[in-house]
Amino acid sequence: MDMMKQTVVYKILFAVTVLATLGGLLTLLPHSGASYPNVMYYSSLCTFAPAATLYCFFIAGSVCFFRSSFVKDRDGSPAERLKRHKKSLLPLILLLAAALASTFWFTQVKSRYVDAAAQASTVSE
């Protein structure tokens, strides 16, 4: 990959990292118009918080890992670069585990609520 293409790819991946990070932060913002509170018992912009936050951070971290391992670092084969950067995968694995745990928590808490909009109704004649 020539230097011009590498710079463009790097900038695009950096922008995706920034957008995913901002998206993760936005999910936690309080929002009075939320349809119901999140599992942390406050109304936030995203009712799927904190799981959505963790997924956004996982996406940002994954793109950052890819960017630093395969675009910025050009020494050696892809396998050698992956081996050099493998320590950086541990936080990503922990983040994904936390996101999955939060999803499970969300489903456990929200399964107790009845969604009135999704219920079928019968019409008596």
Side-chain angles (χ1 to χ4, degrees):
M1 185 182 318
D2 68 339
M3 192 57 127
M4 181 66 161
K5 283 183 182 177
Q6 183 179 358
T7 303
V8 170
V9 171
Y10 185 89
K11 287 180 181 179
I12 290 170
L13 292 175
F14 184 75
V16 171
T17 300
V18 169
L19 288 174
T21 302
L22 288 174
L25 293 172
L26 287 174
T27 62
L28 293 174
L29 288 179
H31 181 64
S32 60
S35 56
Y36 52 85
N38 61 32
V39 293
M40 296 185 298
Y41 304 106
Y42 77 95
S43 296
S44 60
L45 190 60
C46 179
T47 56
F48 191 49
T53 306
L54 295 170
Y55 284 118
C56 285
F57 290 166
F58 174 74
I59 290 167
S62 298
V63 172
C64 189
F65 173 80
F66 180 80
R67 180 174 42 89
S68 67
S69 299
F70 300 107
V71 178
K72 186 177 180 182
D73 184 0
R74 302 298 299 158
D75 296 331
S77 70
E80 291 170 344
R81 289 181 274 179
L82 184 60
K83 189 175 181 179
R84 261 195 316 272
H85 294 274
K86 70 181 176 185
K87 291 179 192 173
S88 301
L89 288 174
L90 181 61
L92 289 176
I93 293 167
L94 294 174
L95 197 54
L96 182 59
L100 292 171
S102 292
T103 302
F104 180 74
W105 181 27
F106 177 85
T107 57
Q108 292 299 312
V109 169
K110 296 305 175 182
S111 67
R112 293 181 249 155
Y113 296 101
V114 176
D115 186 4
Q119 288 183 339
S121 59
T122 59
V123 178
S124 57
E125 295 180 23

